[in-house]
Amino acid sequence: MPRGNYDSDLDDRPRRRARRRRPGTNLAVVLVCVGAGLLLLLLAAAGVGAYILVRAKPAADPSLDAGPAVTDLERLAGGWECTFRDPAGRVTMRKVKLIVGTTETATWYRPDGTVFRVNRVEFRLEARGRAPVFRYFNGWVVDGPGAGQPFPGGEYEYTLDGDTWTEFDPGGPIVWTRRR
């Protein structure tokens, strides 16, 4: 092997010259870089998709509200009670209403607790302007004086406030409390 300028005079044998690496591609390095790039791209796409899902506003669907809206009909369901008194404060009559669906059954009790009359009506909740109206019809006297006879229909404005139901009857307000 011929000596080159880079050899020392002290060397017995000439040094082997280091070969220059040819610029080429290492397939393993390329595959790792491409894989890492695809992984980053997928993560970014997943992040954008999650952001869109979280930030998107649902369509105006009332069933998606914070809680179900409770109607007056649902609030009226169940038992209600009112005690009627004379000017001296003595009990003259006690009335208990039971509302199931759109049917009201009213039982009138004498001061001694015996049943005086039971009547049943159908009703519909309506509005007159802003005021809610309780309209009853198709009534029958079920028990007591006039049993089997029609019970007259009518209507009144009302308010519901928690466990208090106030009827604004032409004869004056009647305040009912929920039976427990």
Side-chain angles (χ1 to χ4, degrees):
M1 179 174 330
R3 292 186 92 124
N5 292 340
Y6 52 84
D7 289 332
S8 163
D9 290 338
L10 300 174
D11 289 336
D12 295 349
R13 289 183 278 144
R15 271 195 252 165
R16 182 162 235 186
R17 192 168 88 187
R19 288 189 177 190
R20 271 192 169 167
R21 288 187 135 196
R22 265 197 266 160
T25 59
N26 189 345
L27 187 59
V29 172
V30 170
L31 289 177
V32 168
C33 289
V34 169
L38 286 175
L39 181 64
L40 288 174
L41 185 62
L42 286 174
L43 286 173
V48 168
Y51 176 78
I52 289 171
L53 286 175
V54 168
R55 298 293 294 169
K57 294 189 179 191
D61 183 359
S63 66
L64 297 177
D65 289 343
V70 179
T71 65
D72 281 359
L73 183 61
E74 292 168 325
R75 292 173 57 202
L76 283 172
W80 296 87
E81 185 172 353
C82 180
T83 302
F84 298 87
R85 300 178 185 276
D86 66 12
R90 292 184 300 262
V91 175
T92 58
M93 192 72 64
R94 186 172 63 91
K95 188 175 178 184
V96 175
K97 288 184 178 186
L98 179 62
I99 296 186
V100 178
T102 57
T103 301
E104 173 193 278
T105 302
T107 305
W108 297 79
Y109 294 93
R110 293 183 180 97
D112 64 3
T114 60
V115 174
F116 170 70
R117 172 183 285 169
V118 178
N119 61 279
R120 186 170 292 132
V121 295
E122 294 177 39
F123 69 91
R124 182 178 11 231
L125 301 178
E126 300 175 349
R128 184 178 299 128
R130 289 186 156 191
V133 175
F134 187 99
R135 191 167 139 314
Y136 55 97
F137 50 90
N138 293 338
W140 291 93
V141 178
V142 177
D143 192 16
Q149 298 297 313
F151 186 83
E155 65 181 38
Y156 53 83
E157 291 182 6
Y158 70 93
T159 60
L160 276 170
D161 185 19
D163 289 340
T164 303
W165 173 17
T166 305
E167 297 177 1
F168 296 99
D169 197 62
I174 301 172
V175 179
W176 300 86
T177 53
R178 185 171 298 280
R179 291 188 79 191
R180 298 282 175 200

